[in-house]
């Protein structure tokens, strides 16, 4: 997704101007943005002041760090302590050929038919 040319603080300032009663069309014209962009920003940032936007940015960075830590811990849990190899998953069992009772798997023209033996 393309990054905005406006910082979050500038966006919060524009939203604050709209809350003070300045016509939205005039705000959009002065900031060179569309009405859709303005309303998307308003939906994303709501009624936050510039200080609240800075706090939101800090919380988002902290959240990204915590997500990375959770991924690292999940990867560490998948490693068995005794073997050092990842635990088997369903995908590993799917890569093995299917086991047929009573006969070997047929290949070729009669691949889906079962033998009499």
């Amino acid at each position: 997704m393309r990054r905005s040319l406006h910082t979050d603080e500038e966006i919060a300032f524009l939203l604050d101007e709209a809350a003070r009663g300045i016509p939205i069309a005039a705000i959009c014209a002065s900031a060179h943005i569309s009405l859709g962009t303005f309303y998307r920003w308003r939906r994303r940032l709501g009624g936050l002041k510039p200080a609240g936007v800075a706090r939101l940015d800090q919380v988002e960075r902290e959240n990204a760090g915590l997500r990375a830590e959770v991924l690292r811990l999940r990867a560490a849990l998948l490693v068995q302590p005794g073997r050092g190899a990842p635990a088997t998953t369903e995908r590993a069992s799917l890569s093995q050929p299917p086991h047929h009772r009573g006969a070997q798997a047929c290949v070729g023209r009669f691949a889906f038919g079962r033998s009499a033996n």
Side-chain angles (χ1 to χ4, degrees):
M1 182 179 231
R2 194 173 126 199
R3 293 284 302 162
S4 174
L5 298 176
H6 302 280
T7 64
D8 286 342
E9 288 80 14
E10 292 171 342
I11 294 170
F13 178 76
L14 294 173
L15 294 176
D16 190 46
E17 283 184 337
R20 286 184 294 192
I22 299 174
I24 294 174
I27 294 170
C28 292
S30 67
H32 304 289
I33 60 170
S34 68
L35 286 171
T37 300
F38 178 83
Y39 287 116
R40 184 178 20 170
W41 287 349
R42 190 164 82 175
R43 184 177 58 227
R44 185 177 132 230
L45 296 177
L48 290 177
K49 302 291 181 201
V53 171
R55 174 73 179 134
L56 178 65
D57 186 39
Q58 176 189 0
V59 168
E60 286 176 347
R61 278 184 304 208
E62 181 182 348
N63 192 18
L66 291 173
R67 285 180 189 269
E69 182 69 17
V70 166
L71 287 175
R72 188 186 65 75
L73 290 173
R74 280 186 180 166
L77 284 176
L78 288 178
V79 174
Q80 297 279 332
R83 295 186 228 155
T88 57
T89 61
E90 292 180 16
R91 289 183 187 171
S93 64
L94 291 178
S95 65
Q96 299 172 355
H99 177 70
H100 297 283
R101 290 185 297 160
Q104 295 292 335
C106 299
V107 289
R109 184 172 164 194
F110 302 104
F112 298 106
R114 291 190 66 146
S115 65
N117 295 350

